[in-house]
Amino acid sequence: MNFLYPQFLWALLAIAIPIIIHLFNFKKFKKVYFSDLRLLKEVEMETSKKSNLKHLLILLSRILAIAALVFAFAQPFFPSKMNKVGQGEKLISVYIDNSFSMSNVSQEFTLLDQAKQKADNIAQLYKQSDKFQLITNDFELKHQRFVTKQEFVDLIQEIEVSSSSRLMSEVEQKQLDFLNKEFTENKLGYFVSDFQKTTADVEQMKLNTTILSSFIHLKPEITGNVFIDSVWFDSPVRVIKKKENITAKLVNNTEDDIQVKTELIINGKTESFVNQDIKSNSETEIVMSYTKDKPGLVSAKLKISEYPNPNSTFDDEFYFSYLLEESAKILVINNNARFQDNVSGNINQLFSNDTYFKIKNSSASAIDFSEFSGSGLIILNELNEFSSGLISELLKYLETGGSVLYFPGSDVKLNSVNEFLLAVQAGRFVSKDTTNTKVSYLNFEHPIFKDLFQKVPKNIDLPVVSNSYKFSSSSRARVDKLMKLQTGNDFLNKFSYKSGQVYVFTVPLDKSFSNLASHSIFVTSLLRIAENSGSPQSVGYLVTDESIVLKDKEYLTEEIHIQNKEMEIDVIPEIEKNRGELQLFLPKSLTQSGNYNVTYKGKNIAGFGLNYNRLESEFGSYDLAELKKLANGAVVVNGSEMDNSKGASSLSMANDTKWWKWFVLAAIIFLAFEILLIKLFK
């Protein structure tokens, strides 16, 4: 047992006071005359025994009460594991959580300011000869080494709130990598954090027995938040003059019902807004619509405002950007050369009056494969067979996110066509079916047919079929059944292959097979397939993402820039070309959320929004009791009990087993026992 204030032990000399009082009883005696001395002797003998026992018990209770009170003031404790490190040089690694949640205020200071003070206190526990290492969520290069005590203290003062979030198990691994490089036995690891449940995966931590780990727990005042969790579009591709529906998921994890105003801001102008009440500890989805009539870069932001007073403005904005093209190219590879006049055939007639989609026709016998990379959709019109070169190029095109639509020919070479279908993991044509039937099923939940009808008629008019090809899907196929026949055979399927999509009809456009070419569903199907083809555009990226992917249009990589004029950012990213794609690696300096432009020779070729990771949007943190249960032997310290004025001594004491409260209780018990003795022994 040790004492925090051993100088108080001198007060034990006060024990002499009740002893002196006991030895020198200054009570004055009064004479009482008795007629019979024998009776007096009997009374004296009996009273003397009781009186001596009473006085001894009172003396003992007073001694113990004084001793207990002195011990309480001296504050005895049993040292924790933190104070039992061996002699010699020590390696100390300190993790300071500098994520956004540490910007919350507690006791008039941010949690990060408190964390920096605690880290300074930790440093004061050790000698100048000991080695220190600092870790933050940024994993900065300047922290990838051991430093002296003074250098460590200087590095602490440079820490700022960062957009980076790390799982605590990831931080621990980084800590272990450094500490295990050295052979000293005295290794200590500290974690100073608010221990948010979304990032403090304490149960996944190794808590290596060769390293003494300590958790310094900081408690935030704000425990609830209203935030934008995620955002998505109905379709993956943006099209000019098309109504876009965007959905935002809002979360309220406070204890109050809150009214939220959601604004959609595009290119600096508010397009629309919605007011919505969100119940406490619940979530809701907000749907907003807009239409862009002109091509160009769309820089958008969703913003929420809370009424009457915001609990926190954390993750109240979500950014997304994309380039709206003036037109989209559709490449049609025809088995019949007469369709190359851009006029003949149903496909040409369908897109001839559409200013957005531009048709490029090609003959199956003379394909220019260089046209593939610039095409949003490739239509294989009634091809009866596939060459090995065509299959190879189509696979490359699909890998880059392209879309292929296949109408079989009237005289399909099954082995050749199935070679392509099996290569894209779709399946195969089995045989020709001459059964008269009709389409009986449309998948109205799929984006191709979703919202096609306000109300689905009971006797809907669907294509009639006299001939078709039976199709058998592969067991590995990722398939969406879009249209089926009464016979149970497939009519239109969508298959996902790597990053691309393959649509397969089981009939050609030949009238001898079906009336599909003259049916309204043909127009709808092709337009929707074309609209959902092309390069899928991500709604938003995270500041922790490493790269973005764009279509390559023979760009010179040194001429590509990433810019944000408001933040005065202009950088040339590292770029990797691969099969018609450009992979742009985002510089580490892009740590602020916002809308960014990708330019080529000064012209916008793409845009993207960067957003902070939503890992910390949920403010729920482990309390001290929960953390101790999960700590698995690690030392857990209540940061609020560390008195900054006492510095290192208060930190070293923070997790020791303290007994002063028990000694105060013991003093009260002994005094109460003395009172009972006085009252009972009369």
Side-chain angles (χ1 to χ4, degrees):
M1 178 184 288
N2 294 331
F3 296 90
L4 182 61
Y5 303 106
Q7 60 270 25
F8 277 103
L9 295 177
W10 286 101
L12 288 174
L13 295 175
I15 293 174
I17 296 173
I19 295 175
I20 292 172
I21 293 173
H22 177 74
L23 292 177
F24 300 95
N25 193 339
F26 299 108
K27 183 177 179 181
K28 294 181 178 180
F29 294 96
K30 182 180 179 180
K31 291 183 178 180
V32 178
Y33 295 94
F34 285 84
S35 58
D36 193 338
L37 293 176
R38 290 176 299 171
L39 180 62
L40 177 62
K41 187 176 181 181
E42 292 175 1
V43 171
E44 280 182 348
M45 291 177 62
E46 185 178 354
T47 305
S48 176
K49 292 178 181 178
K50 290 183 179 179
S51 178
N52 288 337
L53 177 62
K54 173 184 176 182
H55 290 163
L56 286 173
L57 290 175
I58 290 174
L59 174 64
L60 181 62
S61 64
R62 287 173 178 174
I63 291 173
L64 292 175
I66 292 173
L69 201 59
V70 170
F71 281 130
F73 278 99
Q75 293 196 25
F77 66 92
F78 288 102
S80 68
K81 292 187 293 182
M82 185 187 302
N83 294 317
K84 295 181 180 179
V85 181
Q87 299 296 318
E89 183 185 67
K90 300 176 181 62
L91 299 179
I92 304 101
S93 178
V94 180
Y95 163 64
I96 297 181
D97 183 358
N98 63 332
S99 60
F100 277 135
S101 67
M102 295 292 284
S103 61
N104 282 328
V105 176
S106 178
Q107 300 175 354
E108 299 182 358
F109 295 96
T110 66
L111 293 182
L112 181 59
D113 289 335
Q114 294 181 41
K116 291 160 72 171
Q117 181 62 55
K118 307 311 175 192
D120 188 274
N121 288 347
I122 290 171
Q124 304 314 314
L125 288 172
Y126 302 99
K127 300 177 182 178
Q128 295 290 341
S129 58
D130 294 328
K131 294 180 181 179
F132 295 82
Q133 184 221 354
L134 179 64
I135 302 178
T136 67
N137 290 321
D138 299 304
F139 283 4
E140 294 183 81
L141 287 175
K142 63 181 179 181
H143 297 157
Q144 310 297 309
R145 60 191 179 92
F146 287 105
V147 296
T148 65
K149 181 176 178 178
Q150 186 56 50
E151 287 176 316
F152 175 75
V153 172
D154 293 339
L155 286 173
I156 291 173
Q157 304 310 314
E158 298 175 4
I159 301 175
E160 296 180 352
V161 173
S162 169
S163 60
S164 298
S165 296
R166 304 280 182 181
L167 293 175
M168 200 156 284
S169 58
E170 183 182 1
V171 174
E172 183 200 34
Q173 187 58 54
K174 176 71 72 173
Q175 197 176 75
L176 291 174
D177 291 342
F178 277 93
L179 293 177
N180 287 333
K181 289 179 182 178
E182 305 293 331
F183 296 104
T184 179
E185 294 181 357
N186 299 322
K187 301 174 183 179
L188 303 102
Y190 291 87
F191 298 82
V192 189
S193 172
D194 58 353
F195 292 90
Q196 274 191 285
K197 293 181 179 180
T198 52
T199 55
D201 55 341
V202 182
E203 291 177 312
Q204 303 301 319
M205 296 176 69
K206 299 175 182 177
L207 297 174
N208 195 303
T209 55
T210 62
I211 298 171
L212 179 58
S213 298
S214 301
F215 296 156
I216 315 298
H217 180 271
L218 303 177
K219 184 179 180 180
E221 290 181 359
I222 299 176
T223 58
N225 186 27
V226 180
F227 59 95
I228 302 175
D229 178 78
S230 53
V231 175
W232 65 91
F233 282 98
D234 282 353
S235 61
V237 180
R238 315 278 74 78
V239 178
I240 193 171
K241 296 181 181 179
K242 178 192 173 185
K243 181 181 176 182
E244 302 287 1
N245 293 321
I246 187 168
T247 304
K249 179 181 177 182
L250 310 183
V251 177
N252 174 15
N253 62 7
T254 71
E255 298 300 323
D256 302 316
D257 297 344
I258 295 180
Q259 185 184 73
V260 175
K261 176 184 178 182
T262 306
E263 289 182 88
L264 175 61
I265 302 169
I266 298 180
N267 296 335
K269 179 183 176 182
T270 300
E271 289 283 335
S272 61
F273 67 89
V274 175
N275 290 320
Q276 178 77 31
D277 292 328
I278 310 178
K279 297 292 185 181
S280 63
N281 295 308
S282 65
E283 58 187 44
T284 188
E285 293 181 1
I286 303 291
V287 180
M288 309 182 79
S289 301
Y290 69 94
T291 303
K292 301 304 293 182
D293 296 326
K294 296 181 180 180
L297 191 67
V298 176
S299 297
K301 175 175 71 172
L302 277 171
K303 180 181 179 181
I304 61 172
S305 305
E306 305 162 34
Y307 295 99
N309 296 311
N311 284 344
S312 170
T313 58
F314 193 60
D315 285 342
D316 282 0
E317 297 177 332
F318 191 97
Y319 296 89
F320 62 95
S321 297
Y322 59 88
L323 185 67
L324 196 56
E325 300 282 1
E326 186 173 4
S327 62
K329 177 184 171 184
I330 297 176
L331 176 63
V332 184
I333 300 175
N334 300 283
N335 184 57
N336 194 327
R338 69 184 180 88
F339 297 141
Q340 290 185 245
D341 59 6
N342 292 339
V343 176
S344 303
N346 303 86
I347 296 175
N348 284 324
Q349 292 172 8
L350 171 61
F351 292 106
S352 61
N353 296 322
D354 195 307
T355 57
Y356 178 68
F357 295 108
K358 304 298 182 184
I359 289 288
K360 171 72 174 180
N361 280 279
S362 174
S363 173
S365 59
I367 303 173
D368 183 359
F369 294 130
S370 64
E371 298 279 356
F372 282 23
S373 61
S375 302
L377 173 65
I378 297 178
I379 300 177
L380 307 174
N381 187 20
E382 299 189 352
L383 269 61
N384 288 312
E385 56 185 331
F386 289 76
S387 66
S388 59
L390 175 59
I391 293 175
S392 176
E393 293 299 324
L394 286 173
L395 293 178
K396 293 178 184 178
Y397 170 74
L398 289 167
E399 287 176 4
T400 62
S403 297
V404 174
L405 170 59
Y406 176 54
F407 289 102
S410 57
D411 189 19
V412 164
K413 303 296 188 290
L414 291 178
N415 289 338
S416 177
V417 171
N418 288 338
E419 185 180 351
F420 165 69
L421 295 174
L422 290 171
V424 297
Q425 299 176 4
R428 62 192 182 90
F429 285 130
V430 178
S431 62
K432 194 172 184 179
D433 186 0
T434 59
T435 305
N436 290 322
T437 184
K438 65 178 296 186
V439 175
S440 61
Y441 167 79
L442 266 70
N443 186 350
F444 291 108
E445 298 301 317
H446 194 274
I448 299 298
F449 299 119
K450 191 174 183 180
D451 301 325
L452 185 60
F453 302 99
Q454 290 184 347
K455 184 178 180 181
V456 180
K458 290 183 179 180
N459 298 316
I460 185 172
D461 178 30
L462 295 173
V464 175
V465 177
S466 55
N467 292 288
S468 64
Y469 291 100
K470 285 186 177 180
F471 190 86
S472 175
S473 297
S474 169
S475 59
R476 296 183 298 167
R478 293 182 292 159
V479 59
D480 292 322
K481 306 279 188 177
L482 303 184
M483 300 172 71
K484 295 184 71 172
L485 299 172
Q486 287 179 335
T487 59
N489 191 26
D490 299 327
F491 188 74
L492 172 61
N493 288 336
K494 175 197 169 188
F495 300 93
S496 298
Y497 174 74
K498 295 190 175 179
S499 299
Q501 314 294 331
V502 180
Y503 298 86
V504 179
F505 277 95
T506 59
V507 297
L509 296 177
D510 192 325
K511 293 181 181 179
S512 64
F513 278 74
S514 73
N515 66 340
L516 173 64
S518 59
H519 199 281
S520 60
I521 204 71
F522 168 75
V523 177
T524 302
S525 300
L526 260 67
L527 285 175
R528 287 292 183 91
I529 289 173
E531 289 174 357
N532 285 273
S533 300
S535 300
Q537 295 160 321
S538 176
V539 178
Y541 293 87
L542 300 177
V543 292
T544 53
D545 287 339
E546 294 183 353
S547 64
I548 64 171
V549 177
L550 305 176
K551 283 285 187 180
D552 185 11
K553 297 183 179 179
E554 303 302 322
Y555 296 123
L556 300 174
T557 56
E558 63 271 14
E559 295 287 346
I560 295 179
H561 290 237
I562 294 178
Q563 298 177 335
N564 183 302
K565 293 183 179 179
E566 291 182 1
M567 291 184 276
E568 298 182 348
I569 293 175
D570 189 339
V571 296
I572 299 176
E574 180 184 348
I575 299 174
E576 186 176 294
K577 289 194 173 191
N578 183 28
R579 293 185 176 182
E581 286 185 335
L582 289 176
Q583 186 173 12
L584 278 64
F585 293 93
L586 302 179
K588 298 294 184 183
S589 58
L590 298 186
T591 59
Q592 189 170 345
S593 64
N595 296 112
Y596 292 84
N597 303 349
V598 181
T599 65
Y600 179 71
K601 294 184 177 180
K603 181 181 178 182
N604 291 326
I605 61 172
F608 61 94
L610 280 185
N611 298 281
Y612 298 127
N613 198 316
R614 263 50 184 172
L615 264 178
E616 297 203 350
S617 299
E618 297 274 359
F619 278 2
S621 298
Y622 289 113
D623 60 31
L624 201 65
E626 291 174 321
L627 194 58
K628 286 182 177 180
K629 288 180 180 179
L630 298 172
N632 192 24
V635 175
V636 179
V637 178
N638 186 350
S640 63
E641 292 184 2
M642 299 181 193
D643 185 350
N644 292 339
S645 64
K646 296 175 185 175
S649 62
S650 64
L651 174 60
S652 63
M653 283 288 300
N655 204 61
D656 293 328
T657 306
K658 307 176 186 68
W659 291 89
W660 68 269
K661 294 179 182 179
W662 294 103
F663 279 103
V664 169
L665 180 62
I668 294 172
I669 292 173
F670 291 136
L671 289 174
F673 182 64
E674 178 190 353
I675 294 171
L676 287 174
L677 286 173
I678 293 172
K679 287 185 175 292
L680 292 176
F681 283 80
K682 292 184 179 180

